[in-house]
Amino acid sequence: MRLKIVQQFPDFEERIDFLFQNDENFRDLCSDYDLCTSMILQRKIAEHKNKAEINEYETLQLILKEDIIKVLQSQT
Amino acid sequence: MPDNAAENHILLNYSKQDILKELDCILNSELFSRTAVLCNFLKFIVEETLEGHTHSLKEYTIAVSALGKSVDFNPQTDAVVRIHAGRLRRLLNEYYLQPGITDSIKIEVIKGTYVPVFRTQVIEKSTEDLREKTTTVVNDTVVYSRSRLTLAVLPFRNLLPNKDYQFFVDGFGEELTRVFSTSEDLDVIAHFSTLKYVANPKDIRVVGSELGVHYVIAGAVKRSAKQIKVSVGLGETVNGMQIWTKDYIHSLEDDEIMDIQDQINNDVFALLSGHYGFIIKDTMRLVEGNMKQDLQAFDAVLWFHHAQLTHSEENFLEAIKGLEKTLENDPNNVMCLSILGDLYLSSYSMGYTVEDPINKANLYIEKAIRIAPLSQYAHMERGWAHIHLGKKKEAIESLKYSEQLASPSFSPSTMGGLGFAYSCVGEYKCSHALLQAALNLNPYCPWWYYVGLFFGFYHNGQYEEAFKYAQKMNASEDVYVIPLLMVAVKGQLGMVLEARVEINILNKKFPEILANLGMYLNSFILDRSLVEEIILGLKKAGLQLH
């Protein structure tokens, strides 16, 4: 999961490493983001018919991404 | 603020109106007003809790009743509630660091449960500190570590007249903390951190939240003229329930006081610790339904315990999958590495479909030992790896070393694991002593303890005794060993007709294992004469072997 987050935010690698080591809330946030991403992927692969559900997950994914950015930028 | 403002209290100290007022404050704040979903979520779980409906606070109910999902919502395939719960937890943290910083009541959603906790907020900082704090919101959030089962031993209460024997009472907290700290399954909070509760006793839900623990052990000491009574209890911090208790009554004339303490401490450790102890058993409630997709190390280890109890192929494979996923995030987690070694080796001996199990197990076990050279569990698994590779001498060496690492705080689970392993290398006397001691300490045990005892009796030709233990074995239908041993012992006892049921099961469900039986048995029984005797018993019962 750490790798996926670093791939998403390559400019913050050091900060991500620090937070992964020291901040369980940040790990949970990344874990939720990862889970959300996999939910979207699963539904797209399965050609899920409920577009509203995919939209809901995509909105959630954006919110979580913003939250991650907020944490990453908070001490830099 | 008054002096007692730092004290925490839970629900009982507030009226419903107080809590609903705090809920209103939160919902009307700017932070929450931006998100209707989280408002509905929080409102629902708080109101349900106030109505006493905490048992209904499950993912499905929250999805349907609070998030407007349809009745066919499936929490196994839809993670939306879990994701929103994480968001809610973080937003509440943020709320209490900013606009809600002066609120007297704090509503929290602790990880691992959807039941909110209501506490008095600690407010000790000066206005300047508070102002400073509001500018560093996200960096100073409350962290509840849930990656391992965690326990605290609270100081025991001294109810003796004139406070006699204070050293004896104090010794329980210190000694139990020390004894439990040797367990690889649990993290234990340093006893010093719990001493503050002597003068200031608190609800165990608050203690759990403050110390970040799942369970607490507490106790009290009383005496009559000739007897001393020690009551010990185990409490679960999430819901505040007392889930186990035991009274120990000793004559003061017959025993030395410190011996009494050691006996009690050892008994408490034996009953509560280990894979089959009361704590893991209680935690098994959390493992329900299919494995969740956001598995953490904590959940994965619980799935391993679940797999160990059932021994079903599906549970084994799911546990392997989950643990390997957690290793991606936490590659040096010794417990996960050792457990994976255990699961791969067990899968191999059970004939389950896993790719290259011995090599994978070896990789995990050796890595665990490199990181933690004194891990008793990892060395026991190294012993098992040697057993599967047919290296008897090396297996015994590893098992002996593991035994050495386990003592003196020897949990029944460790004794049982080593006892079974010794039976597989043909060390029956040693095996019998350990398995009997484990059963005496904690009669709740997995089915394979009985296999170890069965091997010893069967090898000695004591078939009646072996039959007695075969009847006690009970596991998933995926386990071929149980019907197989039953047929063998029935064969030796001349119970040919009675063996037909198990023979039918073996023929129907395990033809591949029967076709390669020697290979399967030799993969975990290093005493070749025992394998031959088992095959002889099977033939006597009328099982056709190729």
Side-chain angles (χ1 to χ4, degrees):
Chain A
M1 186 173 66
R2 191 199 70 87
L3 269 179
K4 287 182 197 166
I5 301 297
V6 171
Q7 280 166 0
Q8 280 280 324
F9 310 100
D11 294 343
F12 293 95
E13 185 169 358
E14 215 172 295
R15 174 90 176 123
I16 290 169
D17 275 343
F18 174 81
L19 289 166
F20 258 81
Q21 292 283 329
N22 297 291
D23 187 340
E24 186 163 359
N25 282 329
F26 180 72
R27 287 200 299 272
D28 288 343
L29 173 59
C30 294
S31 175
D32 286 349
Y33 177 75
D34 188 38
L35 179 61
C36 194
T37 308
S38 68
M39 288 282 136
I40 295 167
L41 198 65
Q42 275 176 25
R43 278 156 179 72
K44 285 189 174 169
I45 289 170
E47 294 179 356
H48 201 71
K49 286 175 187 163
N50 191 340
K51 297 291 172 207
E53 197 175 293
I54 296 178
N55 286 343
E56 184 185 1
Y57 271 116
E58 283 177 338
T59 309
L60 259 177
Q61 189 190 33
L62 268 179
I63 293 170
L64 293 167
K65 192 175 178 179
E66 281 170 13
D67 287 345
I68 291 174
I69 292 170
K70 200 165 113 186
V71 179
L72 291 176
Q73 290 179 333
S74 62
Q75 276 189 348
T76 53
Chain B
M1 293 299 297
D3 287 341
N4 64 354
E7 286 188 17
N8 299 312
H9 301 279
I10 282 189
L11 183 58
L12 296 175
N13 295 313
Y14 302 110
S15 66
K16 280 186 185 178
Q17 285 70 26
D18 290 339
I19 291 164
L20 289 172
K21 200 172 157 194
E22 175 61 15
L23 178 66
D24 268 349
C25 287
I26 297 171
L27 300 182
N28 290 323
S29 68
E30 201 195 326
L31 270 179
F32 272 81
S33 61
R34 297 179 215 146
T35 163
V37 176
L38 297 187
C39 285
N40 290 340
F41 195 138
L42 180 65
K43 189 169 184 288
F44 178 73
I45 60 173
V46 169
E47 287 177 350
E48 286 295 291
T49 302
L50 292 178
E51 291 304 315
H53 302 153
T54 52
H55 290 293
S56 66
L57 288 177
K58 307 271 187 227
E59 277 184 52
Y60 177 82
T61 328
I62 294 168
V64 175
S65 306
L67 306 186
K69 296 286 168 188
S70 62
V71 287
D72 60 356
F73 177 82
N74 181 357
Q76 307 303 334
T77 56
D78 197 331
V80 77
V81 177
R82 270 167 276 155
I83 296 171
H84 282 309
R87 292 183 60 217
L88 177 59
R89 199 173 296 122
R90 288 184 291 273
L91 200 64
L92 278 170
N93 278 339
E94 200 174 334
Y95 172 82
Y96 284 109
L97 289 165
Q98 287 183 68
I101 197 161
T102 55
D103 293 5
S104 56
I105 299 177
K106 187 172 185 182
I107 300 178
E108 289 174 292
V109 182
I110 296 171
K111 204 174 158 191
T113 174
Y114 295 117
V115 181
V117 174
F118 310 112
R119 302 169 54 188
T120 296
Q121 198 174 197
V122 181
I123 304 168
E124 294 173 312
K125 306 277 183 184
S126 67
T127 317
E128 201 169 310
D129 286 339
L130 296 182
R131 203 175 301 126
E132 195 177 300
K133 189 130 184 166
T134 55
T135 63
T136 56
V137 176
V138 191
N139 311 316
D140 194 19
T141 50
V142 179
V143 173
Y144 298 99
S145 173
R146 305 285 287 189
S147 58
R148 296 242 302 162
L149 272 179
T150 309
L151 169 80
V153 184
L154 300 184
F156 277 35
R157 290 162 65 214
N158 185 352
L159 305 178
L160 301 173
N162 307 319
K163 299 294 173 198
D164 288 346
Y165 295 105
Q166 186 61 44
F167 72 96
F168 175 72
V169 178
D170 289 344
F172 278 106
E174 285 169 19
E175 269 303 290
L176 280 172
T177 301
R178 185 192 64 75
V179 171
F180 275 93
S181 68
T182 63
S183 167
E184 291 184 44
D185 306 300
L186 295 164
D187 281 340
V188 187
I189 297 294
H191 190 55
F192 190 78
S193 303
T194 68
L195 293 179
K196 59 186 173 186
Y197 300 115
V198 176
N200 187 17
K202 289 180 181 172
D203 186 306
I204 67 163
R205 289 171 291 184
V206 175
V207 174
S209 173
E210 286 183 346
L211 298 176
V213 297
H214 303 90
Y215 293 95
V216 295
I217 291 175
V221 182
K222 299 174 202 166
R223 69 168 283 194
S224 62
K226 290 183 178 175
Q227 288 184 320
I228 193 152
K229 180 178 169 186
V230 180
S231 305
V232 188
L234 178 73
E236 195 187 305
T237 61
V238 171
N239 56 19
M241 305 292 278
Q242 179 93 348
I243 55 168
W244 172 86
T245 186
K246 187 170 175 179
D247 287 337
Y248 298 88
I249 299 171
H250 285 265
S251 162
L252 278 172
E253 288 173 352
D254 299 338
D255 296 291
E256 289 294 329
I257 196 93
M258 297 317 287
D259 285 347
I260 293 175
Q261 190 171 77
D262 286 345
Q263 283 170 34
I264 295 171
N265 288 341
N266 290 339
D267 189 68
V268 171
F269 181 66
L271 287 168
L272 302 186
S273 72
H275 296 181
Y276 310 104
F278 206 89
I279 292 176
I280 299 283
K281 263 199 295 172
D282 180 69
T283 314
M284 283 297 99
R285 293 177 298 101
L286 301 174
V287 183
E288 286 172 357
N290 294 331
M291 187 179 287
K292 291 176 180 174
Q293 298 178 46
D294 59 342
L295 204 72
Q296 307 272 319
F298 178 76
D299 308 299
V301 171
L302 292 186
W303 264 87
F304 159 69
H305 292 306
H306 187 53
Q308 281 284 73
L309 288 173
T310 63
H311 268 77
S312 88
E313 182 167 9
E314 188 191 354
N315 288 344
F316 260 62
L317 301 182
E318 283 293 305
I320 287 175
K321 196 171 81 181
L323 283 155
E324 287 184 332
K325 196 176 170 200
T326 62
L327 273 190
E328 286 172 16
N329 297 329
D330 192 3
N332 294 330
N333 186 320
V334 173
M335 183 52 95
C336 279
L337 290 164
S338 304
I339 287 175
L340 272 166
D342 188 343
L343 283 168
Y344 271 111
L345 292 173
S346 303
S347 300
Y348 173 67
S349 58
M350 308 292 284
Y352 295 160
T353 319
V354 283
E355 204 180 316
D356 201 10
I358 302 290
N359 277 334
K360 282 186 180 166
N362 262 327
L363 285 174
Y364 287 128
I365 293 164
E366 293 309 317
K367 185 173 178 186
I369 291 175
R370 271 201 307 280
I371 299 166
L374 298 181
S375 165
Q376 178 274 326
Y377 184 27
H379 280 281
M380 183 165 77
E381 290 315 310
R382 182 188 258 177
W384 271 111
H386 288 313
I387 290 174
H388 290 297
L389 292 168
K391 296 177 177 175
K392 183 172 175 175
K393 188 176 157 229
E394 291 84 346
I396 293 174
E397 273 174 15
S398 293
L399 295 175
K400 290 277 175 209
Y401 188 53
S402 172
E403 193 177 342
Q404 196 184 319
L405 290 171
S407 60
S409 304
F410 221 164
S411 81
S413 305
T414 308
M415 284 181 192
L418 285 167
F420 178 51
Y422 279 130
S423 77
C424 293
V425 293
E427 297 283 310
Y428 300 114
K429 206 171 161 184
C430 190
S431 157
H432 185 87
L434 284 168
L435 288 167
Q436 278 299 352
L439 280 171
N440 288 340
L441 286 166
N442 184 2
Y444 182 86
C445 71
W447 61 276
W448 43 265
Y449 278 32
Y450 300 124
V451 177
L453 290 161
F454 175 98
F455 283 169
F457 287 117
Y458 192 96
H459 175 72
N460 291 335
Q462 294 170 270
Y463 300 121
E464 294 282 356
E465 280 295 304
F467 181 58
K468 199 171 87 185
Y469 285 106
Q471 286 176 307
K472 291 185 178 186
M473 296 171 198
N474 182 18
S476 152
E477 290 175 356
D478 297 342
V479 179
Y480 78 91
V481 175
I482 295 176
L484 189 93
L485 296 182
M486 189 55 104
V487 172
V489 74
K490 283 182 176 175
Q492 296 287 9
L493 289 168
M495 299 162 69
V496 177
L497 279 178
E498 290 89 335
R500 279 187 185 170
V501 178
E502 288 87 8
I503 289 178
N504 284 339
I505 293 171
L506 290 168
N507 284 328
K508 196 173 165 191
K509 201 158 178 208
F510 305 107
E512 198 188 319
I513 285 173
L514 292 182
N516 302 287
L517 189 60
M519 185 193 84
Y520 278 105
L521 291 179
N522 285 321
S523 75
F524 71 101
I525 304 175
L526 296 191
D527 179 355
R528 300 292 173 245
S529 66
L530 177 63
V531 174
E532 284 167 19
E533 286 159 21
I534 289 172
I535 290 175
L536 183 66
L538 296 171
K539 286 180 177 167
K540 280 185 181 175
L543 181 69
Q544 298 293 318
L545 293 170
H546 305 293

